[in-house]
Amino acid sequence: MVEPKKYAVGLIDILGFKSLIRNNQINDVYLRLNGIIKRGIKEAVEGMNNTIYKLDPSCEIKYKIFSDTILIYLFTENPSATNKIIQITFLSSAIGMINGYFIDKEFFLRGAISYGECVFDEENDVYIGKPIIEAYEWEKKQNWAGFVLCPTRSEERRVGKECRSRWSPY
């Protein structure tokens, strides 16, 4: 059994995907997106992981893709409030690099970043947790391309007590 752990979680939607699928041959869409995904996401994640490893070897960004949805996540063995902030910062940086690459290829992304307890069973491809739901809900509320940091509903509501005075929802 996989134990719940606290993750920084990003949920990303590729905008215009439905139209792309409807108006093009599926193989053409696959070939175009596969190259972008392999290069844009893989390079951003690998580059950020190289940086993260120097600071916290227990940290690693990973991702899963289903259709037009990208789940990107980060876990660390060190649960300090500082590391929560570092997790959000590194995940945000990786998502920013991914977003820039997609924009360069004329695709726009929309998403949200959350933090909290999840069960990620990578062996069986089962990914569940409140942060995923929260990120999905906040991503769907947006009517623009870009990303938001969710006001998580867990005890880490604002990414650690020391951040409460500097962060407020819109």
Side-chain angles (χ1 to χ4, degrees), residues 43-71:
E43 285 186 9
V45 167
E46 286 177 359
M48 192 55 60
N49 279 337
N50 289 335
T51 301
I52 293 170
Y53 185 81
K54 294 171 188 168
L55 300 169
D56 182 353
S58 74
C59 253
E60 182 180 11
I61 297 175
K62 297 182 179 182
Y63 63 94
K64 285 291 178 182
I65 301 167
F66 178 77
S67 189
D68 67 335
T69 301
I70 303 162
L71 174 68

Side-chain angles (χ1 to χ4, degrees), residues 28-95:
D28 293 340
V29 174
Y30 167 76
L31 291 173
R32 184 170 179 207
L33 280 178
N34 190 45
I36 293 170
I37 288 168
K38 277 186 175 178
R39 186 168 172 91
I41 296 175
K42 190 174 181 181
E43 285 186 9
V45 167
E46 286 177 359
M48 192 55 60
N49 279 337
N50 289 335
T51 301
I52 293 170
Y53 185 81
K54 294 171 188 168
L55 300 169
D56 182 353
S58 74
C59 253
E60 182 180 11
I61 297 175
K62 297 182 179 182
Y63 63 94
K64 285 291 178 182
I65 301 167
F66 178 77
S67 189
D68 67 335
T69 301
I70 303 162
L71 174 68
I72 184 167
Y73 55 97
L74 174 65
F75 168 77
T76 182
E77 296 289 339
N78 183 352
S80 73
T82 301
N83 259 7
K84 291 172 194 170
I85 295 165
I86 290 169
Q87 280 183 276
I88 296 291
T89 301
F90 281 134
L91 194 66
S92 298
S93 296
I95 289 171

Side-chain angles (χ1 to χ4, degrees), residues 7 26 156:
Y7 288 86
I26 191 76
E156 290 83 19

Side-chain angles (χ1 to χ4, degrees), residues 9 17 25 37 70 119 150:
V9 176
F17 193 79
Q25 295 294 318
I37 288 168
I70 303 162
V119 173
C150 298

